[in-house]
Amino acid sequence: MTEEKFIHDSKTVLKFIQCYCDNEHFKIKKSKDCINLNYNDKDLNEKIEYELCEKCEETLNYSYVKLQECPHDEKPSCRKCPRPCYDKREWKLLAKIMRYSGLRFGILKIRKKLFGRFEKSA
């Protein structure tokens, strides 16, 4: 996997986990932190900041480690991977998070398009 793809995938998984945490764990205390991205023992000079509850932060860290360890040159989606590296429990949790957040992002995209059309015609 290229460094650019690694950065993109790291930011994407954070975006999905952040959306899930913000909507599902809004009453739980969250802490601000960041990850300094490293890939193949190389500092990428890239930081990703987040504000997550403890459980979601554990999920993010787990996902980040698995992403770093991915053996594929051309990384498939984890759902289509011939050799999944996630533990079954973690995989199910991340699948739930991705479904939840993907639906939210899809709805936001549709709303923007609809309201954009109404604003243009007004």
Side-chain angles (χ1 to χ4, degrees), residues 81-109:
C81 185
R83 294 183 329 190
C85 58
Y86 276 72
D87 294 334
K88 192 147 189 115
R89 187 177 70 82
E90 293 293 332
W91 187 86
K92 285 183 177 184
L93 175 60
L94 198 60
K96 175 184 171 184
I97 290 170
M98 297 297 248
R99 255 191 323 275
Y100 178 93
S101 298
L103 181 62
R104 295 287 181 281
F105 291 137
I107 289 171
L108 288 174
K109 201 173 191 180

Side-chain angles (χ1 to χ4, degrees), residues 3 6 36-44 64 68-69:
E3 290 174 3
F6 175 76
N36 293 313
L37 297 183
N38 297 302
Y39 185 61
N40 290 337
D41 297 323
K42 181 180 175 187
D43 184 6
L44 300 178
Y64 178 65
Q68 283 178 311
E69 295 172 351

Side-chain angles (χ1 to χ4, degrees), residues 48-86:
I48 52 175
E49 296 181 1
Y50 59 85
E51 190 172 346
L52 299 171
C53 70
E54 190 176 323
K55 185 171 169 51
C56 289
E57 185 174 15
E58 288 172 11
T59 302
L60 174 65
N61 290 330
Y62 181 86
S63 298
Y64 178 65
V65 167
K66 292 300 179 181
L67 191 58
Q68 283 178 311
E69 295 172 351
C70 184
H72 302 287
D73 291 331
E74 194 74 33
K75 186 187 175 321
S77 69
C78 293
R79 180 179 53 194
K80 296 179 181 178
C81 185
R83 294 183 329 190
C85 58
Y86 276 72

